Amino acid sequence: MEKFTVYTGKSVPLMNDNIDTDQLIPKQFLKAVDKKGFGKNLMFEWRYLNDDYDENPDFVFNKPEYRDATILVTGDNFGSGSSREHAAWVHRAAGGGGIDHREGIEE
């Protein structure tokens, strides 16, 4: 990972709690052993309506105002679950630059 001291980008709110690694990268995508091509599979079951990658228009990542977001703002306990390293790869492959959770945000 590249070192940085300040990161500036557009954020996308996904305020669900307890997003685990099974939701980040479903099991059918764990066959790969390198980090290439994972981005389109990030949160696959929420982002798409079917296996043909038809977008779910109600999912926040698919809304026009968030398409170029690089900072994910989440609820508590993001990334919990198994020790799948693929879950870390997929966020970076999708263009993610940072993750924050709501405890660090004033409401």
Side-chain angles (χ1 to χ4, degrees):
M1 180 169 280
E2 297 176 34
K3 179 182 176 183
F4 65 89
T5 54
V6 175
Y7 184 87
T8 303
K10 186 182 223 180
S11 62
V12 57
L14 184 62
M15 301 313 296
N16 301 41
D17 291 335
N18 304 311
I19 296 174
D20 63 27
T21 55
D22 295 331
Q23 294 160 344
L24 291 174
I25 183 75
K27 65 185 177 307
Q28 67 264 36
F29 303 112
L30 298 180
K31 297 174 186 167
V33 292
D34 64 27
K35 301 175 186 176
K36 296 177 183 165
F38 272 103
K40 68 180 182 178
N41 300 319
L42 175 67
M43 298 187 188
F44 179 85
E45 294 173 359
W46 294 358
R47 283 174 72 183
Y48 304 107
L49 298 172
N50 53 44
D51 289 343
D52 293 326
Y53 292 88
D54 293 326
E55 291 184 349
N56 174 356
D58 295 326
F59 187 62
V60 68
F61 287 13
N62 298 333
K63 295 188 182 292
E65 61 267 32
Y66 297 117
R67 285 206 179 267
D68 60 345
T70 58
I71 300 171
L72 177 61
V73 180
T74 73
D76 293 332
N77 204 25
F78 179 82
S80 62
S82 73
S83 59
R84 294 179 184 175
E85 63 183 320
H86 297 74
W89 295 354
V90 73
H91 179 258
R92 188 69 171 160
I99 299 173
D100 197 355
H101 63 92
R102 72 168 154 229
E103 287 184 8
I105 298 172
E106 288 187 35
E107 295 189 40

